[in-house]
């Protein structure tokens, strides 16, 4: 990927690929830098293509933030991706995942936990409305509903 970057330093797709590679290597700062560089290098001729790439960049940033347990940033990234592509089933599911993990950090505050779980459930329900056969989303929906029910019972 570094060689590709040297050959085409202004290509946002190369920067995006670098971001994915750095993420896989757990080099999160470099991954984020590459994703942000990809966003900055988009040109007017790439607008239609850029919408898809910007969506993917934001989803990738959101996934990166989940791994770093930066859930508020993950949620913002997924919301930014959905602003570009509202029917993004993967982004909706990952948004629900981010809310679910964030809820786990509010175990001592039932009201905050409940709000985060409900936001996650709303996102996963939106994903399932678009793709009823999405197994990961279906499992997450069941888990979120169960945790909401358990939190209500406390």
């Amino acid at each position: 990927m570094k060689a590709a970057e040297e050959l085409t330093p202004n290509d946002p797709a190369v920067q995006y690929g670098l971001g994915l590679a750095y993420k896989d290597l757990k080099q999160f700062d470099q991954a984020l830098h590459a994703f942000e560089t990809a966003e900055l290098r988009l040109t007017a001729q790439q607008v239609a293509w850029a919408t898809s790439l910007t969506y993917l960049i934001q989803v990738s940033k959101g996934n990166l933030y989940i791994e770093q347990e930066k859930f508020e940033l993950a949620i913002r990234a997924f919301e930014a991706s959905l602003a570009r592509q509202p029917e993004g089933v993967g982004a909706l599911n990952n948004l629900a995942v981010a809310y679910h993990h964030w809820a786990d950090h509010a175990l001592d505050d039932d009201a905050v936990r409940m709000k985060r779980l409900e936001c996650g459930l709303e996102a996963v329900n939106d994903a399932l409305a678009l793709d009823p056969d999405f197994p990961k989303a279906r499992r997450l929906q069941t888990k979120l509903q169960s945790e909401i029910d358990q939190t209500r019972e406390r």
Side-chain angles (χ1 to χ4, degrees):
M1 285 302 295
K2 282 302 225 181
E5 182 182 33
E6 290 173 14
L7 289 172
T8 55
N10 293 318
D11 186 343
V14 170
Q15 290 298 317
Y16 175 68
L18 272 174
L20 292 176
Y22 282 132
K23 178 185 169 287
D24 289 345
L25 294 171
K26 305 286 188 213
Q27 296 177 10
F28 298 129
D29 290 339
Q30 293 93 329
L32 185 60
H33 176 73
F35 291 145
E36 290 173 347
T37 300
E39 284 179 303
L40 294 173
R41 292 194 177 157
L42 296 172
T43 65
Q45 292 84 12
Q46 299 167 316
V47 171
W49 175 78
T51 299
S52 294
L53 183 59
T54 302
Y55 167 82
L56 291 173
I57 289 168
Q58 291 300 327
V59 169
S60 296
K61 285 170 66 175
N63 291 334
L64 177 74
Y65 288 134
I66 286 175
E67 286 191 45
Q68 294 178 303
E69 296 187 358
K70 296 179 179 179
F71 303 115
E72 290 177 81
L73 292 174
I75 289 164
R76 281 198 294 242
F78 293 128
E79 288 173 344
S81 71
L82 291 163
R84 294 269 184 196
Q85 193 171 332
E87 71 285 357
V89 175
L92 284 164
N93 186 71
N94 292 354
L95 176 61
V97 169
Y99 273 115
H100 183 230
H101 287 302
W102 196 26
D104 288 343
H105 286 75
L107 293 175
D108 57 338
D109 188 334
D110 283 348
V112 170
R113 179 172 169 69
M114 181 66 78
K115 178 66 176 161
R116 293 174 185 173
L117 290 170
E118 288 172 342
C119 287
L121 184 61
E122 180 181 346
V124 81
N125 285 342
D126 289 347
L128 287 166
L130 292 166
D131 183 359
D133 298 321
F134 189 4
K136 279 185 177 179
R138 186 68 61 200
R139 287 189 300 271
L140 182 57
Q141 180 191 45
T142 300
K143 187 170 188 151
L144 286 165
Q145 187 60 61
S146 174
E147 290 186 28
I148 287 170
D149 294 343
Q150 290 172 5
T151 302
R152 281 192 183 125
E153 291 173 4
R154 293 185 199 179

